[in-house]
Amino acid sequence: MDENCIFCKIIRGDFNTDFVYENEYLVVFKDINPKAPVHLLVVPRIHVPSLNELDDKNLLGELMLGVKEAAKKVGLKSYRTQINTGKEAGQEVFHLHIHVLGK
Ligand code: AMP
Ligand code: ZN
């Protein structure tokens, strides 16, 4: 838990965010500023600032499976995934997340 991190606060339940899907490793919620008709964020429960700080292969696998499960849950058969890593690549929230974009 990082006290200054918006995603940590969401995970803690501070904003009563509706989770599209969740399990012991991750939560999935809708992006507040969607860039596609369906835009989800797959977010690990632990605070990892970006992909550059992730060494846990098991968590990496769980996150990708989370993408698949969340897509299935909302009825997306076709979708794109994106991970922005670092400011210059457009990362704004420094708590690792995978964008899932579809129609
Ligand atoms: P990135 O640019 O990869 O760091 O993506 C951060 C994403 O988080 C952006 O698409 C934002 O719209 C989204 N975002 C920021 N704050 C919130 C929030 N409170 N709830 C849902 N999504 C958010
Ligand atoms: Zn965080």
Side-chain angles (χ1 to χ4, degrees):
M1 173 77 202
D2 179 331
E3 284 299 333
N4 299 314
C5 172
I6 184 83
F7 285 0
C8 281
K9 289 178 185 167
I10 286 173
I11 290 161
R12 190 167 66 181
D14 286 8
F15 309 114
N16 275 325
T17 308
D18 190 34
F19 295 146
V20 170
Y21 175 79
E22 64 179 308
N23 63 30
E24 66 180 294
Y25 300 101
L26 58 90
V27 303
V28 182
F29 51 86
K30 290 182 182 164
D31 195 294
I32 203 169
N33 182 20
K35 293 171 187 72
V38 181
H39 186 170
L40 307 176
L41 300 173
V42 176
V43 184
R45 286 188 183 276
I46 62 161
H47 181 83
V48 180
S50 81
L51 187 61
N52 282 339
E53 287 78 31
L54 182 64
D55 297 318
D56 182 340
K57 288 179 186 164
N58 185 59
L59 180 56
L60 185 59
E62 291 292 344
L63 290 170
M64 293 314 295
L65 291 173
V67 167
K68 185 182 76 169
E69 290 305 324
K72 196 161 121 189
K73 187 91 184 282
V74 299
L76 272 185
K77 284 191 183 137
S78 187
Y79 52 88
R80 290 188 296 122
T81 53
Q82 183 172 333
I83 303 174
N84 297 327
T85 305
K87 248 192 191 102
E88 287 170 7
Q91 186 176 3
E92 289 172 0
V93 176
F94 284 82
H95 180 133
L96 175 63
H97 51 280
I98 305 176
H99 296 262
V100 181
L101 301 129
K103 295 176 188 165

